[in-house]
C-alpha cells in the first residue's frame, strides 16, 4: 500500500511539473483581440463611445480607403489616437484567393496591396497588420504578404470543441479569427462563452472578427453592441487583457 501511495505521489508531482511548464510556455496574459472589417467607421466610433468604459482596444481593418469621406477619416484618426489599431483590408476588397487564381500574385499586390499601403500612408495611418477580405487565404498569399505585414489575419469557419479551434494566437504572425457576426452559421453567445472560458483557463488569446456593430440587427454582417459588451465585461471581470493585432507582433519577439 505504501509503495502504491509513494508511486501515486511521484506521478502526481511529475504531472504537476509538466502542467506548470505548459502554462509557462505562454508568457503573456490571457485575453482577446476584437477586430472589425470593411469601412463602417461611423458605427465603429459609436461602439467605441459605449465600450470605452471597459478600456477596450480593437483593430479596425479598413478597405477602400480612398472612398472614405473626410468626416470618417477624422473619426478613424480619433480611434487611432485612443489606442485602437487601424489595419489594412485591401484597396478594392477583392477576394484574394479568387483574384490570384485568375490574375496571379503580382497583379494582386499591384492592384490591391500597394495602392492600399500608399493611400494609408498618405492619410497618416501606419499599417502593419492585414485582414483578408472574406477571410480566405492561401500559402502563396501568406508567403507574399509576410514581407509586407507583421500580422496577417484570416477567418475561422469551424464549429468544434474550443480547444481544437484555430481562432487563438499561436505564437505566429498568421492568425484566424472567429466571426461573431449574426449571420455566421456557427456563432452563438453560449459558444462564444465557451471560447472565452477556454482562453481564460488555458492562458490563450482569442481572436474575434466582426463587421458592423449595431444596437439592433437589421441585416447580415452585423454584431450587436450587446454581444461586444458581453465580451468586454468578461475580459474585465476575469482580469484578462485587450490586445490589438499589432500587439501580438510584440509577443512574437519575446
Amino acid at each position: 500500500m505504501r509503495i502504491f501511495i509513494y508511486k501515486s505521489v511521484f506521478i502526481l508531482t511529475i504531472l504537476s511539473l509538466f502542467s506548470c511548464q505548459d502554462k509557462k510556455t505562454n508568457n503573456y496574459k490571457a485575453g482577446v483581440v476584437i477586430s472589425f472589417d470593411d469601412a463602417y467607421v461611423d458605427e465603429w466610433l459609436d461602439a467605441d463611445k459605449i465600450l470605452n468604459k471597459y478600456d477596450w482596444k480593437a483593430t479596425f481593418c479598413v478597405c477602400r480607403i480612398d472612398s472614405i469621406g473626410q468626416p470618417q477619416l477624422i473619426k478613424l484618426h480619433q480611434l487611432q489616437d485612443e489606442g485602437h489599431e487601424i489595419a489594412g483590408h485591401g484597396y478594392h476588397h477583392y477576394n484574394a484567393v479568387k483574384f490570384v487564381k485568375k490574375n496571379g500574385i503580382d497583379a494582386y499586390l499591384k492592384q490591391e496591396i500597394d495602392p492600399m499601403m500608399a493611400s494609408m500612408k498618405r492619410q497618416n495611418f501606419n499599417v502593419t497588420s492585414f485582414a483578408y477580405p472574406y477571410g480566405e487565404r492561401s500559402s502563396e498569399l501568406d508567403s507574399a504578404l509576410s514581407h509586407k505585414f507583421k500580422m496577417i489575419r484570416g477567418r475561422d469557419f469551424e464549429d468544434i470543441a474550443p480547444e481544437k479551434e484555430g481562432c487563438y494566437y499561436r505564437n505566429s504572425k498568421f492568425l484566424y479569427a472567429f466571426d461573431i457576426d449574426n449571420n455566421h452559421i456557427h456563432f452563438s453567445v453560449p459558444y462564444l462563452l465557451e471560447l472565452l472560458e477556454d482562453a481564460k483557463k488555458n492562458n490563450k488569446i482569442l481572436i474575434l472578427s466582426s463587421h458592423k456593430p449595431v444596437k439592433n440587427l437589421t441585416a447580415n454582417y452585423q454584431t450587436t453592441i450587446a454581444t461586444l459588451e458581453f465580451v468586454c465585461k468578461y475580459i474585465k471581470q476575469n482580469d484578462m487583457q485587450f490586445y490589438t493585432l499589432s500587439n501580438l507582433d510584440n509577443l512574437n519577439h519575446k
Side-chain angles (χ1 to χ4, degrees), residues 13-201:
T13 302
I14 295 298
L15 290 175
S16 176
L17 288 172
F18 276 112
S19 176
C20 290
Q21 289 174 354
D22 288 341
K23 289 181 180 178
K24 289 180 180 178
T25 57
N26 290 347
N27 59 347
Y28 46 77
K29 198 171 184 179
V32 66
V33 172
I34 304 176
S35 57
F36 297 86
D37 294 352
D38 294 351
Y40 299 104
V41 181
D42 294 332
E43 289 81 5
W44 293 344
L45 190 63
D46 289 342
D48 178 63
K49 292 175 181 177
I50 297 172
L51 301 174
N52 60 16
K53 61 188 175 185
Y54 299 102
D55 297 319
W56 81 316
K57 291 294 177 285
T59 301
F60 299 98
C61 308
V62 182
C63 62
R64 304 186 180 99
I65 184 67
D66 285 340
S67 299
I68 295 176
Q70 189 61 32
Q72 284 69 41
L73 288 172
I74 292 172
K75 291 180 179 181
L76 276 179
H77 276 287
Q78 182 178 338
L79 289 168
Q80 182 174 253
D81 291 343
E82 291 177 4
H84 301 291
E85 179 181 2
I86 307 302
H89 192 49
Y91 190 67
H92 299 94
H93 197 264
Y94 293 145
N95 182 305
V97 174
K98 292 180 180 178
F99 186 95
V100 169
K101 184 177 181 180
K102 183 178 180 180
N103 304 287
I105 192 73
D106 290 339
Y108 180 76
L109 296 176
K110 290 178 181 178
Q111 294 185 43
E112 189 72 349
I113 300 302
D114 294 343
M116 177 195 74
M117 294 299 286
S119 293
M120 286 289 200
K121 184 177 181 179
R122 187 168 57 250
Q123 298 294 345
N124 295 313
F125 296 115
N126 180 29
V127 172
T128 62
S129 304
F130 179 76
Y132 284 107
Y134 307 101
E136 296 186 39
R137 70 197 305 165
S138 69
S139 57
E140 181 185 17
L141 279 160
D142 279 351
S143 177
L145 296 184
S146 65
H147 304 292
K148 295 180 176 290
F149 302 102
K150 294 180 178 179
M151 303 303 298
I152 301 173
R153 199 218 78 203
R155 283 189 358 216
D156 182 31
F157 295 96
E158 296 179 290
D159 179 22
I160 54 180
E163 62 272 15
K164 296 181 180 180
E165 278 281 9
C167 54
Y168 295 100
Y169 170 64
R170 300 182 186 278
N171 303 304
S172 168
K173 71 186 302 174
F174 303 111
L175 309 166
Y176 290 89
F178 182 77
D179 194 324
I180 57 173
D181 283 337
N182 67 298
N183 66 306
H184 192 293
I185 189 171
H186 302 309
F187 170 71
S188 71
V189 172
Y191 187 63
L192 176 58
L193 177 59
E194 287 187 50
L195 295 175
L196 287 166
E197 289 180 337
D198 183 55
K200 175 191 173 185
K201 178 181 178 182

